[in-house]
Amino acid sequence: MSFDRHLAEIAREFPDWTIWRSDAGRWWATRHHPLTSAQRDVGCAMTIDADDPEGLREQLLDQRERSGGTTPGTDT
């Protein structure tokens, strides 16, 4: 699968994050909204990175689970 396709799929699955690949080849994601105190307390991160798209997706799923599946500033 192409770089662009991986990027688009991850971005669709995690719309509350900006996803990109650095010039060095690492995959990154940063949240659109600041973390709440509760999210910081359970180990949520504002920005994460991985070696490949699969690793980034795994970390994004972990972040979703840690935050209880909610987005800061919303009730969902």
Side-chain angles (χ1 to χ4, degrees):
M1 187 180 304
S2 74
F3 154 76
D4 289 332
R5 188 160 183 171
H6 279 296
L7 191 74
E9 286 184 3
I10 295 170
R12 270 193 305 276
E13 187 174 358
F14 301 95
D16 297 322
W17 295 78
T18 297
I19 312 297
W20 76 96
R21 186 171 179 238
S22 71
D23 292 340
R26 292 204 52 84
W27 289 75
W28 293 83
T30 193
R31 294 178 189 270
H32 293 178
H33 304 284
L35 293 171
T36 64
S37 295
Q39 287 174 313
R40 282 191 301 274
D41 290 347
V42 295
C44 289
M46 194 66 199
T47 302
I48 55 176
D49 69 309
D51 292 329
D52 53 42
E54 293 81 15
L56 185 64
R57 185 176 181 280
E58 288 175 18
Q59 287 194 52
L60 287 163
L61 289 169
D62 176 64
Q63 289 292 304
R64 181 184 285 168
E65 186 175 317
R66 287 175 185 269
S67 66
T70 61
T71 301
T74 68
D75 294 328
T76 59

